[in-house]
């Protein structure tokens, strides 16, 4: 039996395992080990690659720290204050609460860097409010899922960290490049949301109140400070993305522990509307106790324990694919399509189709090292291509049959997966429009980069 036949059988076998629900980590690991035996690649090479990721991957240290940041701002009540501010600004418009949930996703993403955490946090907080506010429950769940897509584009982004690590690009530049495209994604989804809600008459309107906006802005000041701290530190070069993650974790932990006793002293309740709270109490969030901290850290560690081994084994997968000539094969196919735009759109098509069936992390780890050099060879700026690549990967979060955010939204809202699919279509149209705009206008990704 030839090597090609054996590798085909191994690939079919692991595909079946994946379809049966086997974890992606095991699927990739089995494929790497099986193919290594076939092509006589020493197994100790795989072990060395895994070890190198943990020993030399300093940039990856930012990933668990930003995951922990997301859990801390959720537990402390900062995320709730951000969503309250967004609603006070947009609630007077038709579909204001739904648009506020999208804006809240953007604000939450600017601290947490995670798509699933964004969807789960905002969905669990605002879905019940949206249903009580006259929105269709399926649309409400789809809105939370769509809003989570910006979690990997608006900095800090966990996937940008992985991309920069794999392609040896400055992570701080990647973060800055994602600011405008991420904001455009939020605005495009809000526009689609406004149109859908206007056509269906969804949502109760609240009176536009400057005092309410002022008070909720005060309530969200800690969230704004955390966002500004991250962006200022990275943009000015005061700290690296890893250091920024550490500073943000320290800030959120300090805020949570200090605010809990202060909140108890003031006798403020999280259930009270902003109008009934004193201005002084709005400065303090609910916080958490020292006894709650181990559970928060444990929850973050569980997510990190899933992602980091997947990155490590995927690096080993790249080595096997390189030995098999996969990079050259895909490269010949893409470059054979023609010049700049042909390569660009072919790469986008590959990312889009792959993102429909795989999560963004394996898509990035497997395809980015192959497609990025090809795009660079025809003149696509590496930073610009990173944004194009990851915006396309983010769209996969709400694209069946995989659509991770759809599963997360279904889980936290109780709306069955297949019932919310039709309501993602307007958001898909909005996101794809922004994707092509960003692809055809490099300045949107590059204009904020320092000279």
């Amino acid at each position: 039996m030839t090597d090609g036949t054996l590798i085909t059988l191994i690939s079919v076998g692991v595909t079946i395992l994946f379809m049966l629900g086997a974890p992606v980590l095991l699927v990739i690991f089995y494929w790497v080990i099986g193919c290594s035996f076939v092509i006589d690649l020493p197994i100790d090479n795989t072990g060395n690659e895994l070890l190198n990721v943990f020993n030399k991957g300093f940039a990856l240290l930012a990933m668990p720290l930003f995951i922990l940041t997301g859990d801390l701002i959720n537990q402390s009540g900062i995320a709730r204050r951000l969503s309250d501010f967004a609603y006070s600004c947009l609630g007077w418009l038709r579909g204001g609460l739904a648009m506020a949930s999208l804006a809240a996703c953007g604000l939450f993403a600017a601290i947490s860097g995670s798509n699933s955490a964004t969807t789960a946090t905002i969905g669990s907080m605002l879905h019940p409010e949206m249903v009580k506010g006259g929105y269709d429950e399926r649309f409400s769940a789809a809105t939370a899922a769509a809003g989570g897509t910006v979690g990997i584009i608006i900095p800090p982004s966990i996937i940008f960290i992985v991309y920069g690590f794999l392609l040896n690009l400055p992570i701080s530049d990647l973060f800055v490049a994602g600011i405008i495209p991420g904001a455009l994604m939020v605005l495009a989804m809000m526009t689609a949301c406004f149109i859908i809600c206007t056509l269906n008459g969804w949502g109760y309107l609240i009176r536009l109140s400057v005092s309410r906006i002022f008070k909720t802005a005060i309530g969200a000041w800690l969230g704004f400070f955390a966002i500004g701290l991250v962006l200022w530190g990275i943009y000015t070069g005061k700290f690296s993305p890893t250091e920024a993650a550490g500073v943000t974790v320290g800030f959120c932990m300090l805020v949570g522990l200090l605010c809990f006793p202060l909140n108890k002293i003031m006798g403020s309740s999280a259930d009270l509307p902003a109008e009934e709270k004193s201005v002084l109490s709005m400065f303090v969030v609910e916080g958490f106790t020292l006894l709650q901290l181990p559970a928060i850290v444990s929850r973050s560690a569980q997510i990190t324990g899933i992602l980091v081994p997947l990155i490590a084994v995927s690096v080993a997968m790249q080595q096997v694919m390189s030995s098999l000539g996969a990079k050259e094969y895909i490269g010949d196919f893409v470059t054979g399509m023609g010049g700049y735009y042909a390569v660009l759109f072919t790469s986008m098509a590959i990312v889009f189709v792959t993102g429909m069936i795989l999560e963004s992390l394996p898509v990035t780890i497997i395809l980015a090292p192959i497609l990025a050099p090809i795009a660079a060879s025809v003149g696509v700026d590496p930073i610009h291509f990173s944004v194009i690549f990851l915006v396309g990967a983010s769209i996969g979060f709400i694209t069946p049959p995989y659509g991770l955010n759809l599963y997360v939204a279904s889980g936290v809202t109780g709306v069955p997966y297949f019932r919310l699919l039709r309501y993602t279509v307007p958001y898909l149209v909005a996101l794809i429009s922004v994707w092509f705009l960003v692809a055809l206008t490099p300045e949107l990704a590059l204009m904020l980069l320092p000279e």
Side-chain angles (χ1 to χ4, degrees), residues 153-155 160 173-183 387 445:
I153 304 300
I154 294 178
F160 266 135
D173 286 356
L174 297 179
F175 279 2
V176 173
I179 294 174
I180 293 178
V387 176

Side-chain angles (χ1 to χ4, degrees), residues 41-49:
L41 188 68
I43 297 299
D44 59 354
N45 279 4
T46 301
N48 290 333
E49 288 297 327

Side-chain angles (χ1 to χ4, degrees), residues 83-108:
S83 64
D84 287 345
F85 169 72
Y87 183 47
S88 68
C89 293
L90 299 168
W92 59 279
L93 295 169
R94 177 64 65 186
L97 183 55
M99 288 190 288
S101 71
L102 294 169
C105 285
L107 294 171
F108 186 87

Side-chain angles (χ1 to χ4, degrees), residues 265-278:
I265 292 172
M266 292 180 178
S268 179
S269 172
D271 298 327
L272 283 176
E275 295 88 344
E276 299 180 20
K277 292 183 178 181
S278 67

Side-chain angles (χ1 to χ4, degrees), residues 209-241:
S209 170
V210 176
S211 63
R212 178 188 173 97
I213 294 174
F214 176 73
K215 187 176 283 189
T216 53
I218 293 174
W221 78 275
L222 288 168
F224 297 145
F225 186 86
I227 294 170
L229 182 65
V230 172
L231 296 182
W232 170 80
I234 294 174
Y235 191 78
T236 60
K238 297 297 182 183
F239 20 83
S240 69

Side-chain angles (χ1 to χ4, degrees), residues 76-77 81 218-219 221-222 255 258-264 266 268 277-287:
S76 65
R81 296 293 183 88
I218 293 174
W221 78 275
L222 288 168
V255 165
L258 290 179
C259 283
F260 184 83
L262 289 175
N263 191 59
K264 292 297 183 183
M266 292 180 178
S268 179
K277 292 183 178 181
S278 67
V279 173
L280 185 61
S281 68
M282 294 297 288
F283 280 96
V284 180
V285 293
E286 287 70 40

Side-chain angles (χ1 to χ4, degrees), residues 132-450:
K132 286 191 289 186
Y135 295 86
D136 186 287
E137 65 171 5
R138 296 166 295 178
F139 174 77
S140 302
T143 299
T149 57
V150 299
I152 67 166
I153 304 300
I154 294 178
S157 162
I158 294 171
I159 302 298
F160 266 135
I161 295 170
V162 175
Y163 191 102
F165 172 76
L166 293 174
L167 276 298
N168 197 28
L169 292 173
I171 295 172
S172 57
D173 286 356
L174 297 179
F175 279 2
V176 173
I179 294 174
I180 293 178
L184 289 175
M185 290 169 68
V186 174
L187 290 173
M189 288 189 290
M190 288 173 65
T191 302
C193 177
F194 176 75
I195 294 171
I196 296 302
C197 290
T198 301
L199 292 175
N200 290 278
W202 287 334
Y204 303 140
L205 306 184
I206 63 171
R207 181 174 58 86
L208 178 61
S209 170
V210 176
S211 63
R212 178 188 173 97
I213 294 174
F214 176 73
K215 187 176 283 189
T216 53
I218 293 174
W221 78 275
L222 288 168
F224 297 145
F225 186 86
I227 294 170
L229 182 65
V230 172
L231 296 182
W232 170 80
I234 294 174
Y235 191 78
T236 60
K238 297 297 182 183
F239 20 83
S240 69
T242 302
E243 292 166 341
V247 169
T248 311
V249 165
F251 171 77
C252 293
M253 196 173 293
L254 188 65
V255 165
L257 293 174
L258 290 179
C259 283
F260 184 83
L262 289 175
N263 191 59
K264 292 297 183 183
I265 292 172
M266 292 180 178
S268 179
S269 172
D271 298 327
L272 283 176
E275 295 88 344
E276 299 180 20
K277 292 183 178 181
S278 67
V279 173
L280 185 61
S281 68
M282 294 297 288
F283 280 96
V284 180
V285 293
E286 287 70 40
F288 47 80
T289 67
L290 199 59
L291 293 177
Q292 292 174 298
L293 197 55
I296 300 172
V297 174
S298 176
R299 187 163 57 245
S300 300
Q302 289 172 7
I303 299 173
T304 303
I306 294 171
L307 296 181
V308 174
L310 181 57
I311 295 171
V313 78
S314 296
V315 170
M317 183 182 187
Q318 289 179 34
Q319 185 184 43
V320 174
M321 292 182 70
S322 178
S323 299
L324 292 173
K327 181 177 180 179
E328 290 75 14
Y329 176 80
I330 297 176
D332 291 341
F333 171 76
V334 176
T335 52
M337 301 303 293
Y340 181 96
Y341 289 107
V343 168
L344 186 62
F345 293 142
T346 302
S347 299
M348 291 170 67
I350 292 172
V351 171
F352 182 77
V353 172
T354 311
M356 293 173 64
I357 56 177
L358 286 176
E359 205 268 336
S360 63
L361 189 60
V363 169
T364 300
I365 291 170
I366 295 168
L367 289 180
I370 297 174
L371 296 179
I374 298 169
S377 70
V378 296
V380 183
D381 184 271
I383 301 295
H384 180 216
F385 185 76
S386 72
V387 176
I388 297 170
F389 187 100
L390 292 177
V391 170
S394 73
I395 294 173
F397 290 134
I398 58 169
T399 309
Y402 186 69
L404 176 61
N405 283 14
L406 300 176
Y407 284 105
V408 174
S410 176
V412 299
T413 64
V415 178
Y417 176 90
F418 291 102
R419 292 189 63 213
L420 58 84
L421 289 182
R422 60 174 288 200
Y423 291 98
T424 63
V425 174
Y427 294 124
L428 279 173
V429 173
L431 291 173
I432 291 173
S433 300
V434 171
W435 190 26
F436 276 92
L437 179 63
V438 170
L440 296 173
T441 316
E443 292 78 13
L444 293 175
L446 304 177
M447 67 171 63
L448 296 181
L449 291 177

